[in-house]
Amino acid sequence: MATTLPNEILIEICSYLHPSDLYNLSLVCKRFRSLLWNKTNESTQLIWRTSRLNFVPHLTLPCPEGMCEQRYIWLMLLLEKCMFCDEKDKWKLAMYWEFKMYCCFKCLAQRTVSRDTLIKEWEISENVLTCIVPLAPNAQRPQLFLMKQVKQTLKEYNKLSISKKENWIKRKQKDIENLKIENNEYRKQHDFGRYDDNERLERIFRTLHMSTEYPYLLRR
């Protein structure tokens, strides 16, 4: 019977469901998955946005530009393992909102490169680095950059004529400064919703002692 319900009724039913229930419903059949995982359909996006605002009160910030509601909720709420290797130990997992990644330390290290390496080995100028979103350093981790973003930025930069490079850098630097402010707000929202006060303190403590347990993070 459920598979023959009109879409209008299904949409109404979905408006009363928690995002985790919507996710489970999408696994029932192809029709439900088609309805609930459409990334561009306005009705689908409204279903997930309504569910988010009704049932997840801490997720009040709108989706970042270019991100659909499903991925936003998945990253912020539903994802409970490394998005790359399926690691489930929560103490080895963290959200790196600058890169839109929730992953373990090892997978982060495999996909990033340090500022020093980019300058000394890749021979990238500091001006160009200011045009790429960084992951801020902490007590035991250097400033990191996502290798995919570095390569994309270099490709874009190298296509420019010399006369256009200066204005391109200025425009990118302004965009990056705005992104840093935005990313900080999303990161705070994520941490508030995922961790209680005790876990936040424990994570700070573990970060201060990370070099002993995860020395590979300091190799780059």
Side-chain angles (χ1 to χ4, degrees), residues 30-167:
K30 290 183 178 179
R31 183 192 177 198
F32 290 173
R33 182 168 182 83
S34 177
L35 171 67
L36 292 172
W37 283 106
N38 191 311
K39 298 178 181 179
T40 58
N41 182 272
E42 291 185 9
S43 295
T44 300
Q45 295 306 299
L46 180 60
I47 288 171
W48 287 91
R49 182 163 56 253
T50 300
S51 177
R52 168 171 62 83
L53 294 175
N54 286 344
F55 295 99
V56 195
H58 73 276
L59 286 186
T60 57
L61 294 174
C63 288
E65 184 177 355
M67 182 181 290
C68 64
E69 283 283 346
Q70 297 98 315
R71 183 168 182 81
Y72 181 42
I73 295 170
W74 180 68
L75 282 171
M76 283 286 189
L77 180 68
L78 301 180
L79 191 55
E80 295 182 344
K81 60 184 179 180
C82 175
M83 59 193 295
F84 302 111
C85 74
D86 290 344
E87 172 64 64
K88 295 180 180 179
D89 184 345
K90 70 176 183 178
W91 300 113
K92 295 180 181 180
L93 298 169
M95 170 60 74
Y96 305 101
W97 188 258
E98 293 86 345
F99 305 150
K100 309 300 184 287
M101 291 179 359
Y102 183 71
C103 66
C104 66
F105 303 125
K106 287 184 179 180
C107 287
L108 174 70
Q110 291 169 0
R111 290 163 174 78
T112 55
V113 58
S114 72
R115 178 186 182 86
D116 285 347
T117 297
L118 289 173
I119 292 175
K120 295 176 183 178
E121 298 182 20
W122 292 38
E123 298 183 345
I124 297 177
S125 71
E126 295 201 24
N127 276 342
V128 173
L129 281 184
T130 61
C131 301
I132 309 171
V133 177
L135 180 63
N138 59 28
Q140 299 295 343
R141 182 188 66 213
Q143 187 179 55
L144 298 174
F145 294 82
L146 192 63
M147 281 188 278
K148 182 172 68 173
Q149 290 181 353
V150 172
K151 293 175 181 178
Q152 289 174 345
T153 301
L154 284 176
K155 183 177 181 180
E156 185 177 348
Y157 177 76
N158 289 331
K159 285 182 178 180
L160 298 171
S161 63
I162 294 177
S163 61
K164 293 182 178 180
K165 287 184 176 179
E166 183 177 353
N167 286 335

Side-chain angles (χ1 to χ4, degrees), residues 179-191:
L179 267 178
K180 286 180 180 179
I181 296 171
E182 178 182 293
N183 287 336
N184 187 51
E185 293 302 310
Y186 280 102
R187 191 186 314 108
K188 288 191 294 185
Q189 176 182 253
H190 169 271
D191 291 353

Side-chain angles (χ1 to χ4, degrees), residues 91 196-206:
W91 300 113
D196 59 26
D197 291 342
N198 290 332
E199 185 169 342
R200 281 194 286 271
L201 289 174
E202 176 69 13
R203 284 179 173 273
I204 292 172
F205 176 81
R206 286 171 179 256

